[in-house]
Amino acid sequence: MKHSTTPQTRSGRGPARRVGRTLAFVLPVVLVFSGTLAVAHVNWSGSPSSPVLAAADTAVSGASSAGASSRGAARAPHEVLRDTLLVELRRENPGVVLTHLQQAVNDRPSLARHCTSIARALGREAVRMYGSTKAQSFARPVCDTSFASGVLAAHG
């Protein structure tokens, strides 16, 4: 008595086996390739890739080389970054500046805790320059939408 209408093969060369063999070959190749790309994308030189970070690093290194007597006058990297981005906002549109803020935080994770205050300051300045409607059009999810909350705070 036969229960199945499809012919059974003992050799095991069905489509499932072909798919399994293809995945077994392709998957490691894809993983190695993606890992190579990820390693190639990392900035191994130690110097910042963002011009905004370069300005912040120059200001910090200049302040630290001034000596211990003027340490009170030294500015924190996040303050330098905020001021640099505010100056840049006067030349570029807020979308470009927000991209530079995100790059700075990605390149230097210690700036992440100051990201929201910097983005809010950028939002307030954008409202002053462009008006609330135009400024809101540049909002993106940088630093948990702090730019948008800065726009809202300046508008309200």
Side-chain angles (χ1 to χ4, degrees):
M1 177 183 258
K2 231 177 177 182
H3 294 285
S4 175
T5 58
T6 59
Q8 298 293 322
T9 59
R10 290 206 167 260
S11 64
R13 305 265 183 213
R17 184 168 177 140
R18 280 192 299 261
V19 169
R21 281 187 175 183
T22 302
L23 281 176
F25 175 74
V26 172
L27 191 60
V29 171
V30 169
L31 290 174
V32 168
F33 184 67
S34 64
T36 303
L37 288 177
V39 169
H41 183 70
V42 172
N43 180 7
W44 295 101
S45 68
S47 63
S49 60
S50 169
V52 174
L53 279 181
D57 282 341
T58 303
V60 171
S61 65
S64 64
S65 64
S69 63
S70 65
R71 285 197 187 232
R75 293 178 44 201
H78 69 276
E79 293 171 345
V80 173
L81 176 63
R82 182 195 60 228
D83 294 345
T84 304
L85 290 173
L86 286 170
V87 168
E88 184 180 2
L89 184 63
R90 292 180 186 103
R91 289 178 287 149
E92 299 285 341
N93 72 50
V96 172
V97 177
L98 287 172
T99 299
H100 289 159
L101 173 60
Q102 189 65 54
Q103 288 172 345
V105 171
N106 290 344
D107 291 345
R108 217 168 170 189
S110 63
L111 294 171
R113 66 178 163 206
H114 304 287
C115 187
T116 55
S117 64
I118 294 171
R120 281 190 188 124
L122 292 172
R124 287 189 297 269
E125 184 65 18
V127 168
R128 191 185 68 70
M129 293 175 62
Y130 294 99
S132 62
T133 304
K134 178 77 172 169
Q136 185 63 37
S137 71
F138 292 105
R140 307 201 270 246
V142 176
C143 307
D144 296 328
T145 65
S146 296
F147 178 83
S149 71
V151 168
L152 182 63
H155 178 63

Tab-separated table of all heavy atoms in Angstrom, residues 101-134:
chain	number	residue	atom	x	y	z
A	101	LEU	N	27.056	66.801	13.624
A	101	LEU	CA	26.878	66.467	15.044
A	101	LEU	C	26.846	64.956	15.228
A	101	LEU	O	27.504	64.411	16.121
A	101	LEU	CB	25.596	67.100	15.593
A	101	LEU	CG	25.189	66.695	17.014
A	101	LEU	CD1	26.275	67.065	18.018
A	101	LEU	CD2	23.860	67.332	17.388
A	102	GLN	N	26.103	64.263	14.385
A	102	GLN	CA	26.018	62.808	14.494
A	102	GLN	C	27.386	62.164	14.255
A	102	GLN	O	27.772	61.232	14.956
A	102	GLN	CB	24.992	62.256	13.497
A	102	GLN	CG	24.706	60.793	13.700
A	102	GLN	CD	24.028	60.515	15.029
A	102	GLN	OE1	23.016	61.107	15.331
A	102	GLN	NE2	24.578	59.625	15.818
A	103	GLN	N	28.136	62.679	13.282
A	103	GLN	CA	29.476	62.146	13.015
A	103	GLN	C	30.396	62.377	14.201
A	103	GLN	O	31.187	61.506	14.566
A	103	GLN	CB	30.071	62.805	11.769
A	103	GLN	CG	29.449	62.364	10.482
A	103	GLN	CD	29.937	63.184	9.290
A	103	GLN	OE1	30.523	64.250	9.454
A	103	GLN	NE2	29.665	62.687	8.100
A	104	ALA	N	30.297	63.554	14.812
A	104	ALA	CA	31.140	63.861	15.964
A	104	ALA	C	30.845	62.923	17.125
A	104	ALA	O	31.760	62.425	17.788
A	104	ALA	CB	30.933	65.314	16.391
A	105	VAL	N	29.572	62.649	17.364
A	105	VAL	CA	29.198	61.742	18.453
A	105	VAL	C	29.618	60.310	18.129
A	105	VAL	O	30.083	59.583	19.003
A	105	VAL	CB	27.680	61.843	18.740
A	105	VAL	CG1	27.222	60.761	19.694
A	105	VAL	CG2	27.349	63.209	19.309
A	106	ASN	N	29.501	59.912	16.867
A	106	ASN	CA	29.927	58.564	16.473
A	106	ASN	C	31.439	58.406	16.602
A	106	ASN	O	31.923	57.363	17.030
A	106	ASN	CB	29.503	58.251	15.036
A	106	ASN	CG	28.017	58.077	14.909
A	106	ASN	OD1	27.308	57.901	15.885
A	106	ASN	ND2	27.527	58.146	13.681
A	107	ASP	N	32.188	59.447	16.221
A	107	ASP	CA	33.644	59.382	16.286
A	107	ASP	C	34.172	59.506	17.710
A	107	ASP	O	35.251	59.004	18.016
A	107	ASP	CB	34.274	60.492	15.435
A	107	ASP	CG	34.071	60.263	13.948
A	107	ASP	OD1	33.708	59.132	13.560
A	107	ASP	OD2	34.276	61.217	13.169
A	108	ARG	N	33.425	60.205	18.552
A	108	ARG	CA	33.861	60.436	19.927
A	108	ARG	C	32.701	60.179	20.875
A	108	ARG	O	31.960	61.087	21.237
A	108	ARG	CB	34.306	61.877	20.035
A	108	ARG	CG	35.464	62.068	20.902
A	108	ARG	CD	35.983	63.444	20.694
A	108	ARG	NE	36.956	63.683	21.711
A	108	ARG	CZ	37.489	64.836	21.939
A	108	ARG	NH1	37.128	65.858	21.225
A	108	ARG	NH2	38.360	64.968	22.879
A	109	PRO	N	32.511	58.935	21.306
A	109	PRO	CA	31.352	58.573	22.132
A	109	PRO	C	31.247	59.349	23.441
A	109	PRO	O	30.159	59.454	23.999
A	109	PRO	CB	31.556	57.076	22.396
A	109	PRO	CG	32.415	56.613	21.269
A	109	PRO	CD	33.304	57.772	20.937
A	110	SER	N	32.332	59.928	23.920
A	110	SER	CA	32.247	60.696	25.168
A	110	SER	C	31.384	61.949	25.006
A	110	SER	O	30.927	62.524	25.987
A	110	SER	CB	33.646	61.095	25.632
A	110	SER	OG	34.266	61.948	24.680
A	111	LEU	N	31.133	62.360	23.773
A	111	LEU	CA	30.274	63.525	23.525
A	111	LEU	C	28.793	63.179	23.549
A	111	LEU	O	27.951	64.068	23.520
A	111	LEU	CB	30.617	64.149	22.164
A	111	LEU	CG	32.005	64.765	22.043
A	111	LEU	CD1	32.289	65.127	20.599
A	111	LEU	CD2	32.119	65.991	22.935
A	112	ALA	N	28.448	61.911	23.606
A	112	ALA	CA	27.056	61.472	23.509
A	112	ALA	C	26.186	62.060	24.615
A	112	ALA	O	25.034	62.411	24.380
A	112	ALA	CB	26.971	59.951	23.527
A	113	ARG	N	26.717	62.191	25.822
A	113	ARG	CA	25.883	62.710	26.909
A	113	ARG	C	25.577	64.197	26.755
A	113	ARG	O	24.677	64.722	27.400
A	113	ARG	CB	26.529	62.428	28.258
A	113	ARG	CG	27.814	63.155	28.465
A	113	ARG	CD	28.399	62.877	29.824
A	113	ARG	NE	29.799	63.287	29.788
A	113	ARG	CZ	30.715	62.802	30.541
A	113	ARG	NH1	30.420	61.875	31.422
A	113	ARG	NH2	31.948	63.222	30.446
A	114	HIS	N	26.318	64.885	25.879
A	114	HIS	CA	26.071	66.303	25.627
A	114	HIS	C	25.308	66.532	24.321
A	114	HIS	O	24.996	67.670	23.981
A	114	HIS	CB	27.393	67.065	25.577
A	114	HIS	CG	28.217	66.888	26.805
A	114	HIS	ND1	27.893	67.485	28.008
A	114	HIS	CD2	29.329	66.156	27.037
A	114	HIS	CE1	28.789	67.129	28.915
A	114	HIS	NE2	29.665	66.329	28.358
A	115	CYS	N	25.016	65.458	23.614
A	115	CYS	CA	24.394	65.562	22.298
A	115	CYS	C	23.036	66.256	22.360
A	115	CYS	O	22.720	67.098	21.520
A	115	CYS	CB	24.268	64.169	21.684
A	115	CYS	SG	23.708	64.178	19.986
A	116	THR	N	22.239	65.927	23.365
A	116	THR	CA	20.895	66.518	23.434
A	116	THR	C	20.958	68.025	23.653
A	116	THR	O	20.219	68.769	23.009
A	116	THR	CB	20.058	65.868	24.548
A	116	THR	OG1	20.757	65.968	25.775
A	116	THR	CG2	19.766	64.426	24.241
A	117	SER	N	21.839	68.487	24.517
A	117	SER	CA	21.918	69.930	24.760
A	117	SER	C	22.450	70.665	23.532
A	117	SER	O	21.989	71.773	23.222
A	117	SER	CB	22.775	70.229	25.990
A	117	SER	OG	24.113	69.829	25.767
A	118	ILE	N	23.379	70.054	22.818
A	118	ILE	CA	23.911	70.674	21.601
A	118	ILE	C	22.826	70.731	20.528
A	118	ILE	O	22.637	71.757	19.869
A	118	ILE	CB	25.147	69.907	21.095
A	118	ILE	CG1	26.299	70.031	22.098
A	118	ILE	CG2	25.581	70.408	19.722
A	118	ILE	CD1	27.485	69.127	21.804
A	119	ALA	N	22.091	69.630	20.364
A	119	ALA	CA	21.031	69.598	19.347
A	119	ALA	C	19.924	70.597	19.675
A	119	ALA	O	19.374	71.237	18.773
A	119	ALA	CB	20.463	68.186	19.228
A	120	ARG	N	19.593	70.754	20.946
A	120	ARG	CA	18.575	71.752	21.328
A	120	ARG	C	19.048	73.160	21.004
A	120	ARG	O	18.282	73.994	20.521
A	120	ARG	CB	18.253	71.631	22.808
A	120	ARG	CG	17.331	70.504	23.109
A	120	ARG	CD	16.834	70.551	24.544
A	120	ARG	NE	16.106	69.345	24.826
A	120	ARG	CZ	16.382	68.508	25.806
A	120	ARG	NH1	17.359	68.779	26.647
A	120	ARG	NH2	15.674	67.416	25.983
A	121	ALA	N	20.315	73.440	21.297
A	121	ALA	CA	20.866	74.770	20.982
A	121	ALA	C	20.827	75.012	19.474
A	121	ALA	O	20.485	76.120	19.025
A	121	ALA	CB	22.288	74.877	21.504
A	122	LEU	N	21.129	73.996	18.695
A	122	LEU	CA	21.055	74.118	17.237
A	122	LEU	C	19.609	74.364	16.786
A	122	LEU	O	19.360	75.157	15.875
A	122	LEU	CB	21.615	72.875	16.563
A	122	LEU	CG	23.119	72.639	16.700
A	122	LEU	CD1	23.504	71.269	16.160
A	122	LEU	CD2	23.904	73.737	16.020
A	123	GLY	N	18.659	73.685	17.423
A	123	GLY	CA	17.254	73.877	17.088
A	123	GLY	C	16.772	75.290	17.384
A	123	GLY	O	16.070	75.897	16.574
A	124	ARG	N	17.183	75.817	18.533
A	124	ARG	CA	16.781	77.190	18.880
A	124	ARG	C	17.376	78.197	17.898
A	124	ARG	O	16.715	79.129	17.457
A	124	ARG	CB	17.213	77.512	20.316
A	124	ARG	CG	16.376	76.809	21.369
A	124	ARG	CD	16.679	77.318	22.764
A	124	ARG	NE	18.052	77.060	23.174
A	124	ARG	CZ	18.452	75.965	23.825
A	124	ARG	NH1	17.572	75.037	24.149
A	124	ARG	NH2	19.714	75.805	24.166
A	125	GLU	N	18.629	77.980	17.542
A	125	GLU	CA	19.291	78.882	16.595
A	125	GLU	C	18.668	78.771	15.202
A	125	GLU	O	18.522	79.765	14.495
A	125	GLU	CB	20.789	78.580	16.536
A	125	GLU	CG	21.579	79.520	15.663
A	125	GLU	CD	21.598	80.962	16.161
A	125	GLU	OE1	21.299	81.224	17.343
A	125	GLU	OE2	21.919	81.844	15.339
A	126	ALA	N	18.287	77.570	14.807
A	126	ALA	CA	17.645	77.377	13.504
A	126	ALA	C	16.304	78.103	13.442
A	126	ALA	O	15.953	78.674	12.404
A	126	ALA	CB	17.461	75.883	13.221
A	127	VAL	N	15.560	78.116	14.530
A	127	VAL	CA	14.289	78.853	14.567
A	127	VAL	C	14.556	80.345	14.422
A	127	VAL	O	13.848	81.052	13.701
A	127	VAL	CB	13.504	78.563	15.867
A	127	VAL	CG1	12.353	79.532	16.051
A	127	VAL	CG2	12.989	77.146	15.849
A	128	ARG	N	15.583	80.823	15.082
A	128	ARG	CA	15.922	82.243	14.982
A	128	ARG	C	16.285	82.616	13.544
A	128	ARG	O	15.918	83.675	13.053
A	128	ARG	CB	17.083	82.567	15.919
A	128	ARG	CG	17.323	84.058	16.090
A	128	ARG	CD	18.550	84.349	16.929
A	128	ARG	NE	19.800	83.988	16.287
A	128	ARG	CZ	20.337	84.625	15.231
A	128	ARG	NH1	19.719	85.643	14.688
A	128	ARG	NH2	21.490	84.245	14.730
A	129	MET	N	16.965	81.714	12.845
A	129	MET	CA	17.426	82.010	11.486
A	129	MET	C	16.361	81.755	10.419
A	129	MET	O	16.230	82.534	9.478
A	129	MET	CB	18.661	81.165	11.168
A	129	MET	CG	19.880	81.536	11.982
A	129	MET	SD	21.256	80.427	11.689
A	129	MET	CE	21.561	80.706	9.960
A	130	TYR	N	15.625	80.645	10.546
A	130	TYR	CA	14.733	80.199	9.478
A	130	TYR	C	13.246	80.332	9.799
A	130	TYR	O	12.420	80.184	8.913
A	130	TYR	CB	15.001	78.719	9.148
A	130	TYR	CG	16.355	78.463	8.557
A	130	TYR	CD1	17.400	77.997	9.340
A	130	TYR	CD2	16.584	78.656	7.201
A	130	TYR	CE1	18.642	77.741	8.796
A	130	TYR	CE2	17.827	78.404	6.646
A	130	TYR	CZ	18.848	77.955	7.451
A	130	TYR	OH	20.077	77.701	6.907
A	131	GLY	N	12.904	80.526	11.048
A	131	GLY	CA	11.503	80.472	11.448
A	131	GLY	C	11.154	79.041	11.833
A	131	GLY	O	11.829	78.083	11.457
A	132	SER	N	10.083	78.883	12.590
A	132	SER	CA	9.785	77.565	13.163
A	132	SER	C	9.403	76.528	12.115
A	132	SER	O	9.808	75.373	12.202
A	132	SER	CB	8.688	77.683	14.216
A	132	SER	OG	7.502	78.165	13.614
A	133	THR	N	8.637	76.911	11.109
A	133	THR	CA	8.184	75.927	10.116
A	133	THR	C	9.349	75.410	9.291
A	133	THR	O	9.510	74.201	9.110
A	133	THR	CB	7.121	76.544	9.190
A	133	THR	OG1	6.060	77.043	9.997
A	133	THR	CG2	6.592	75.527	8.209
A	134	LYS	N	10.182	76.302	8.802
A	134	LYS	CA	11.340	75.900	7.989
A	134	LYS	C	12.345	75.126	8.840
A	134	LYS	O	12.911	74.120	8.395
A	134	LYS	CB	11.990	77.144	7.373
A	134	LYS	CG	13.210	76.869	6.552
A	134	LYS	CD	12.852	76.312	5.216
A	134	LYS	CE	14.121	76.242	4.375
A	134	LYS	NZ	13.952	75.499	3.174
